[in-house]
Coordinates of all heavy atoms in Angstrom, one line a residue:
F1 N 104.5 89.5 105.1 CA 103.8 88.3 105.8 C 103.3 87.4 104.7 O 102.7 87.8 103.8 CB 102.6 88.8 106.6 CG 103.0 89.8 107.7 CD1 102.9 91.2 107.6 CD2 103.4 89.3 109.0 CE1 103.2 92.0 108.6 CE2 103.8 90.2 110.0 CZ 103.7 91.5 109.8
S2 N 103.5 86.1 104.9 CA 103.0 85.1 104.0 C 102.5 83.9 104.8 O 103.0 83.6 105.9 CB 104.0 84.7 103.0 OG 105.1 84.1 103.6
V3 N 101.6 83.2 104.3 CA 100.9 82.0 104.9 C 100.9 80.8 104.1 O 100.9 80.9 102.9 CB 99.5 82.4 105.4 CG1 99.5 83.4 106.6 CG2 98.6 82.8 104.3
S4 N 100.9 79.6 104.8 CA 100.9 78.3 104.1 C 99.5 78.1 103.5 O 99.4 77.4 102.5 CB 101.3 77.2 105.0 OG 100.4 77.2 106.1
Q5 N 98.5 78.6 104.1 CA 97.1 78.5 103.6 C 96.4 79.8 104.1 O 96.7 80.4 105.1 CB 96.3 77.3 104.3 CG 96.8 76.0 103.9 CD 95.9 74.9 104.5 OE1 94.7 75.0 104.4 NE2 96.5 73.9 105.1
G6 N 95.4 80.2 103.3 CA 94.6 81.4 103.7 C 95.2 82.7 103.2 O 95.8 82.7 102.2
S7 N 95.0 83.7 104.0 CA 95.5 85.0 103.5 C 95.8 85.9 104.7 O 95.4 85.6 105.8 CB 94.4 85.7 102.6 OG 93.3 85.9 103.4
V8 N 96.6 87.0 104.5 CA 96.9 88.0 105.5 C 96.5 89.4 104.9 O 96.5 89.6 103.7 CB 98.3 88.0 105.8 CG1 98.7 86.7 106.7 CG2 99.3 88.1 104.6
S9 N 96.2 90.3 105.8 CA 95.9 91.6 105.4 C 96.4 92.6 106.5 O 95.9 92.5 107.6 CB 94.4 91.8 105.2 OG 94.1 93.1 104.8
P10 N 97.3 93.4 106.1 CA 98.0 93.5 104.9 C 99.1 92.5 104.7 O 99.6 91.9 105.7 CB 98.7 95.0 105.0 CG 99.0 95.1 106.4 CD 97.8 94.4 107.1
A11 N 99.6 92.3 103.4 CA 100.6 91.4 103.2 C 102.0 92.0 103.5 O 103.0 91.3 103.7 CB 100.6 91.0 101.7
T12 N 102.1 93.3 103.5 CA 103.3 94.0 103.9 C 102.9 95.2 104.8 O 101.8 95.8 104.6 CB 104.1 94.6 102.7 OG1 103.3 95.6 102.0 CG2 104.6 93.5 101.7
A13 N 103.8 95.5 105.8 CA 103.5 96.6 106.7 C 104.8 97.2 107.1 O 105.8 96.5 107.3 CB 102.7 96.1 107.9
D14 N 104.8 98.5 107.3 CA 106.1 99.2 107.7 C 106.0 99.2 109.3 O 104.9 99.4 109.9 CB 106.1 100.6 107.2 CG 106.4 100.7 105.7 OD1 106.9 99.7 105.2 OD2 106.1 101.7 105.1
T15 N 107.1 99.1 109.9 CA 107.2 99.2 111.3 C 106.8 100.6 111.8 O 107.2 101.6 111.2 CB 108.5 98.8 111.9 OG1 109.6 99.6 111.3 CG2 108.8 97.3 111.7
D16 N 106.2 100.7 113.0 CA 105.7 102.0 113.5 C 106.8 102.5 114.5 O 107.9 102.0 114.5 CB 104.4 101.8 114.2 CG 104.4 100.9 115.4 OD1 105.5 100.5 115.9 OD2 103.3 100.5 115.9
A17 N 106.4 103.5 115.3 CA 107.4 104.2 116.2 C 107.9 103.3 117.3 O 108.9 103.5 117.9 CB 106.7 105.4 116.8
T18 N 107.2 102.1 117.5 CA 107.7 101.2 118.5 C 108.4 100.0 117.8 O 108.7 99.0 118.5 CB 106.5 100.6 119.3 OG1 105.6 99.9 118.5 CG2 105.8 101.8 120.0
G19 N 108.7 100.1 116.5 CA 109.3 99.0 115.8 C 108.4 97.8 115.4 O 108.9 96.8 115.0
R20 N 107.1 98.0 115.6 CA 106.2 96.9 115.4 C 105.4 97.0 114.1 O 105.1 98.1 113.6 CB 105.1 96.9 116.5 CG 105.8 96.6 117.8 CD 104.8 96.6 118.9 NE 105.5 96.4 120.2 CZ 104.9 95.9 121.3 NH1 103.6 95.7 121.3 NH2 105.6 95.7 122.4
A21 N 105.1 95.8 113.5 CA 104.3 95.7 112.3 C 103.3 94.5 112.6 O 103.7 93.6 113.3 CB 105.2 95.4 111.1
S22 N 102.1 94.6 112.0 CA 101.1 93.6 112.3 C 100.3 93.3 111.1 O 100.2 94.1 110.1 CB 100.2 94.1 113.4 OG 99.5 95.2 113.1
T23 N 99.6 92.2 111.1 CA 98.7 91.7 110.1 C 97.6 90.9 110.7 O 97.8 90.3 111.8 CB 99.5 90.9 109.0 OG1 98.6 90.7 107.9 CG2 99.9 89.6 109.5
L24 N 96.5 90.8 110.0 CA 95.4 89.9 110.4 C 95.4 88.7 109.5 O 95.6 88.8 108.2 CB 94.0 90.6 110.2 CG 93.7 91.7 111.2 CD1 92.4 92.4 110.9 CD2 93.6 91.2 112.6
W25 N 95.2 87.5 110.0 CA 95.3 86.3 109.3 C 94.0 85.6 109.3 O 93.3 85.4 110.2 CB 96.3 85.4 110.1 CG 96.6 84.1 109.5 CD1 96.2 83.5 108.4 CD2 97.5 83.1 110.2 NE1 96.8 82.3 108.2 CE2 97.6 82.0 109.3 CE3 98.2 83.1 111.3 CZ2 98.3 80.9 109.5 CZ3 99.0 81.9 111.6 CH2 99.0 80.9 110.7
T26 N 93.6 85.3 108.0 CA 92.4 84.5 107.7 C 92.9 83.1 107.4 O 93.6 82.9 106.4 CB 91.5 85.1 106.6 OG1 91.2 86.4 106.9 CG2 90.3 84.3 106.3
L27 N 92.4 82.1 108.1 CA 92.9 80.7 107.9 C 92.3 80.2 106.6 O 91.3 80.6 106.1 CB 92.4 79.9 109.1 CG 92.9 80.2 110.5 CD1 92.2 79.4 111.5 CD2 94.4 80.0 110.5
G28 N 93.1 79.2 106.1 CA 92.7 78.6 104.8 C 91.7 77.5 105.0 O 91.2 77.3 106.2
A29 N 91.3 76.8 104.0 CA 90.3 75.8 104.0 C 90.7 74.5 104.6 O 89.9 73.6 105.0 CB 89.7 75.6 102.6

């Protein structure tokens, strides 16, 4: 995961048993 501004956590994630991966996004300034 990458963003034009701000940050994500985590920046990489492995898909789970349902094929899903997620991240939290903190907006930039």
Side-chain angles (χ1 to χ4, degrees):
F1 299 96
S2 61
V3 290
S4 59
Q5 293 185 49
S7 62
V8 289
S9 181
T12 62
D14 291 341
T15 55
D16 63 16
T18 65
R20 295 177 182 201
S22 65
T23 191
L24 289 174
W25 184 1
T26 300
L27 297 174

